[in-house]
Each structure stands twice: as structure tokens, then as C-alpha cells.
Amino acid sequence: MAEFSLKGVNRVKNPENLTDLEKKHLPVIHVPEKVREGEPFSVEVAVGELLKHPNELSHYINWIALYDERYTFLGMATLAPVVSEPRVRFTITLDEPAALRAYAFCNLHGLWEGKRELRFG
Ligand SMILES: [Fe+2]
């Protein structure tokens, strides 16, 4: 079985034991310890944090997008190879509690998803 698919979304199969390919492509979502409904907060999405992803003309992270758990679109950044690192900061405001999903697209290895719960209070 192939380690990744160009169709659909690639997700980590076993969070306790990531493959090198998963470590390179998983979008890792950083959020404040607590957030409040209706107040803006920063979300940083980094790809290749666990294991550096190549960043060259022939192999790079092309874009990073952020959604909530219901697939409400929150933002997107398009990245240039070589000169842009796959690390993006969004400032968002949620009007109700939701988890986050981040997507990263590698030109060779397709679409990858990372998730993050939020603590509201
Ligand atoms: Fe890749």
C-alpha cells in the first residue's frame, strides 16, 4: 500500500507512531491555551515541524489553509518555493466553540490534514 495518496486527504494513521512522510507533511496547529468566543486570536500552522519538509523548486508546500471542524473556511496562504517557509499565522475570530482543521498541499505528496481542539473560556 502506498504511503500517501494524491486522491482525497492524507491523515496520520497512528498518532503514537508517525512515519517520516507523515512527520514531514502533517500541518501542526499552534493556538493559545484558551480562547474566547467573539475575540480574535492567533493560529499558527507549521508544516515540517516534526521533520523538515523539502523547500525546493521541484518539491515544496504550495499552500496552507485553515478551516473549522464544520469546514467553515477561515483562511489560506499560497507559498512560493525556496523563499517561503511553510509556516503561516492567521488571526481569526470564532463566534462559537469549534475545533480547527489545517490543510497543507505538497506538490508531490498531495493534501494533508491536521486537527486541533480549542479550549474556550
Ligand atoms: Fe512532500
Side-chain angles (χ1 to χ4, degrees):
M1 193 172 76
E3 266 198 280
F4 70 98
S5 175
L6 292 175
K7 294 180 181 173
V9 181
N10 294 285
R11 295 181 175 93
V12 166
K13 291 184 176 68
N14 177 4
E16 307 296 314
N17 185 21
L18 273 63
T19 66
D20 283 356
L21 195 75
E22 289 171 340
K23 288 177 185 170
K24 286 180 187 174
H25 292 90
L26 177 70
V28 177
I29 305 172
H30 297 279
V31 294
E33 210 167 290
K34 269 191 178 176
V35 300
R36 289 181 188 276
E37 296 163 54
E39 288 187 10
F41 62 95
S42 288
V43 177
E44 191 172 85
V45 182
V47 178
E49 198 169 77
L50 306 173
L51 190 62
K52 189 159 175 55
H53 185 276
N55 189 5
E56 51 202 42
L57 290 175
S58 59
H59 185 192
Y60 68 105
I61 300 299
N62 190 197
W63 52 260
I64 293 172
L66 187 66
Y67 289 77
D68 76 6
E69 64 187 315
R70 301 176 200 88
Y71 298 102
T72 305
F73 175 69
L74 300 172
M76 181 176 192
T78 307
L79 304 169
V82 183
V83 294
S84 284
E85 291 297 319
R87 175 179 284 273
V88 177
R89 186 186 300 267
F90 301 94
T91 302
I92 62 170
T93 305
L94 299 179
D95 57 7
E96 57 186 325
L100 298 174
R101 296 173 191 266
Y103 293 90
F105 185 76
C106 167
N107 70 317
L108 290 187
H109 300 108
L111 187 61
W112 292 77
E113 181 189 77
K115 284 188 193 173
R116 180 69 191 251
E117 299 293 325
L118 290 171
R119 286 184 61 204
F120 287 81

